[in-house]
Amino acid sequence: MRRNAVLLVAISVLSGFGSSAMALVSGIWILDLTGSTALAALAGLCVYAPVLAGPWLGGLLDRTPRRPLVIAVNLLLATALLTLLAVRGPGQTWLVFAVSCAYGVSYVLIDAGETALLPSALSPTDLGDVNGWRSSAQEGMKLVAPVVGAGLYAWHGGHAVAVLSAAMPLVVAVLYLAVRLNRIPFERSTQRRQGPRAGAAVLSGQLTTRVPLVLAAVSIAMSGFTTAAVYAIVITDLRLPSTFLGVLASAQGAGSILGGLIVGRLLARRGPAAVAVAGAVLFAVGCVARCLPWWPATVAGAAIAGVGLPWTLVAAVTAVQTHTPPALLGRVAATANTVMFGPLVLTIPLGAAAVHLGGRPPLVAAAALCLTAAATLPRTRPSPPEQPPPLVIAGS
């Protein structure tokens, strides 16, 4: 199990590095090619939009062996990234957008595929720890990879970044082959005909899954809603240079790394619902702290929010893994990703509009909504992870 844990964390490091480096460089590259900031911003939308198709894409993971599918998606992603070598001028800008969309689709399939594969690679008691370590690894790459990607772009251009990013999924595909999975027969779901509705039915039908999932969705949505508000607090209210946003991003990233390292122990002791409640409350406290007219409080608020946000996410993912029928785990995991990240498509522009009221009102509203959700959702008692029956996973 320790060998598998190391391999899975390494996969998260490499995947996070490649995606984070390319996410920043795609926007810069489009801006340099077209001179349009609006078009540059659309690259990020291309990455997030496919998450809305999660319930449909996740069905593939329940109809085909999961590990071969995840490996194939990584290989196709590497191929797509190498097509960026054909970009020579504004006429090929569409290629950058196409690859951004490919990243978005691969994210849905790979993330859901990893969520579905972990229960066959780890013992139930190790899931919380490894999910937390993977979260810390991904957050760490968000601090390192954009700097490396931007530096490489400035040195040798977008082609060099594309080649580096393409190498990451190739290595990841090899590491997936080295992961030892429980060799158990494929079990077809009797709910397969329900299609995307099957995932939603499982998520809504169990309190143990529904509570952490709703809290994660609310917290993540509010993180998008408050993005513009944080900008306004720094630049308008605190009268600090825009570069101070980098300090806040680092503080939040450091908090996320710390939160990911300790969340596994909390899950083992308190259960996903209690950890998700604590994460939502911490995120709300971070929002309130960023309202204070003192820059150290703003930095502290970013760090506190950074701890709370991954707690809600890891709690929801672990609940899905331990309380979902294994034959449905692919589509349920993909549907859960849609529930958690899909609202960002709406809350980010809503936050951009709400900031016209000032920086503090959106932060206060976000804190109030998170606290209300944490206080009003029904509680569940911690329960040991469910042991799957012997005939389980598609994907050895």
Side-chain angles (χ1 to χ4, degrees), residues 116-127:
L117 282 172
L118 256 65
S120 63
L122 303 165
S123 66
T125 55
D126 289 331
L127 281 174

Side-chain angles (χ1 to χ4, degrees), residues 10-375:
I11 286 170
S12 294
V13 169
L14 294 172
S15 298
F17 182 89
S19 60
S20 296
M22 201 64 218
L24 175 66
V25 167
S26 294
I28 297 173
W29 203 350
I30 292 171
L31 181 61
D32 286 346
L33 288 170
T34 66
S36 170
T37 55
L39 287 176
L42 286 177
L45 182 60
C46 289
V47 173
Y48 282 111
V51 76
L52 298 175
W56 291 268
L57 293 173
L60 294 173
L61 294 161
D62 294 330
R63 292 194 293 269
T64 58
R66 289 164 181 161
R67 174 158 59 179
L69 178 60
V70 171
I71 290 173
V73 171
N74 274 284
L75 295 177
L76 289 172
L77 177 60
T79 303
L81 284 162
L82 291 177
T83 64
L84 293 175
L85 296 176
V87 175
R88 300 295 175 185
Q92 291 82 44
T93 303
W94 66 272
L95 266 176
V96 185
F97 283 113
V99 171
S100 295
C101 288
Y103 246 123
V105 173
S106 70
Y107 166 77
V108 174
L109 288 171
I110 291 171
D111 194 66
E114 288 179 349
T115 299
L117 282 172
L118 256 65
S120 63
L122 303 165
S123 66
T125 55
D126 289 331
L127 281 174
D129 281 326
V130 175
N131 282 331
W133 298 339
R134 291 172 63 235
S135 174
S136 293
Q138 291 163 356
E139 291 299 327
M141 288 304 99
K142 289 179 184 178
L143 297 178
V144 175
V147 177
V148 174
L152 186 58
Y153 180 86
W155 185 28
H156 279 298
H159 296 150
V161 181
V163 171
L164 177 63
S165 296
M168 298 299 107
L170 291 176
V171 178
V172 164
V174 174
L175 293 181
Y176 272 122
L177 290 173
V179 175
R180 294 172 182 167
L181 300 179
N182 296 327
R183 297 285 178 173
I184 41 188
F186 176 77
E187 181 186 85
R188 290 195 179 276
S189 168
T190 57
Q191 293 177 280
R192 184 168 61 90
R193 292 183 181 179
Q194 293 185 20
R197 291 179 296 175
V202 171
L203 292 174
S204 61
Q206 298 185 101
L207 192 61
T208 51
T209 303
R210 187 168 67 247
V211 170
L213 185 65
V214 170
L215 288 168
V218 171
S219 300
I220 293 170
M222 290 303 97
S223 72
F225 181 73
T226 56
T227 298
V230 172
Y231 292 172
I233 289 289
V234 169
I235 296 170
T236 304
D237 296 343
L238 296 178
R239 300 182 183 275
L240 293 169
S242 59
T243 51
F244 188 76
L245 292 167
V247 176
L248 296 185
S250 297
Q252 183 164 338
S256 295
I257 293 171
L258 175 62
L261 291 175
I262 62 178
V263 68
R265 296 180 182 179
L266 293 174
L267 285 168
R269 294 177 181 176
R270 299 296 182 183
V275 172
V277 168
V281 171
L282 282 176
F283 181 77
V285 171
C287 288
V288 173
R290 282 180 281 193
C291 292
L292 299 176
W294 188 42
W295 71 263
T298 305
V299 175
I304 293 169
V307 173
L309 205 56
W311 281 11
T312 63
L313 175 60
V314 173
V317 170
T318 304
V320 168
Q321 290 170 330
T322 53
H323 297 287
T324 298
L328 285 172
L329 192 48
R331 75 191 70 188
V332 172
T335 303
N337 282 340
T338 299
V339 172
M340 290 187 290
F341 295 101
L344 287 171
V345 177
L346 293 176
T347 57
I348 290 175
L350 284 175
V355 80
H356 292 294
L357 301 174
R360 291 185 176 87
L363 286 164
V364 172
L369 186 56
C370 289
L371 291 174
T372 300

